[in-house]
Amino acid sequence: MVTKFNAGGVLFDEQDPAYVAAWKAALDKLIPTGKLFEINTGVIFRGYHKEPYPARPILKEIVARGGKIIIPNDCHRMEGMGYGFYDAIQYAKECGATEIYTLSGSPVKQVKIAI
């Protein structure tokens, strides 16, 4: 959500060591839980930002630490269904991901990203 409202660094510098330390500390707690981290494209569809969130440095760190990535359909409106899905897969690959997870079926399923 920080990425959504801080486009272009209008609120603060996302490179600030205090901010980086805060999100890294959050990952220290969250990644061991095995919960899924979403790549959100709704932020682009609704015109708030030009890239999905989390921001690239955060997503790269999530991937490097073995975090699980999911690309949900956060559209809020019918015309947004599936918006940016393939771009989000590319974004995940650029950040080092080799797989994403899906909620289709139970339990959560791992899906390899085609190279």
Side-chain angles (χ1 to χ4, degrees):
M1 294 302 291
V2 171
T3 300
K4 177 178 177 177
F5 296 111
N6 195 44
V10 297
L11 300 175
F12 65 94
D13 179 5
E14 292 182 22
Q15 313 276 321
D16 183 290
Y19 174 69
V20 173
W23 63 253
K24 285 185 176 183
L27 294 183
D28 290 342
K29 300 286 185 184
L30 294 169
I31 289 179
T33 70
K35 302 294 185 197
L36 301 171
F37 291 85
E38 82 168 6
I39 295 177
N40 185 296
T41 60
V43 67
I44 303 167
F45 177 74
R46 291 187 288 281
Y48 289 110
H49 211 271
K50 296 188 186 310
E51 280 196 327
Y53 56 78
R56 283 181 188 268
I58 299 172
L59 185 57
K60 286 179 179 181
E61 189 73 17
I62 291 168
V63 170
R65 293 185 186 201
K68 297 176 181 178
I69 306 299
I70 188 168
I71 304 171
N73 203 359
D74 179 27
C75 63
H76 299 257
R77 296 196 322 246
M78 187 65 123
E79 60 271 19
M81 292 290 287
Y83 182 85
F85 185 79
Y86 294 106
D87 292 336
I89 292 172
Q90 184 61 37
Y91 186 73
K93 285 173 57 175
E94 290 168 4
C95 290
T98 57
E99 68 249 347
I100 59 172
Y101 289 77
T102 178
L103 295 177
S104 62
S106 182
V108 171
K109 295 180 185 172
Q110 182 181 28
V111 180
K112 293 286 183 191
I113 297 175
I115 303 298

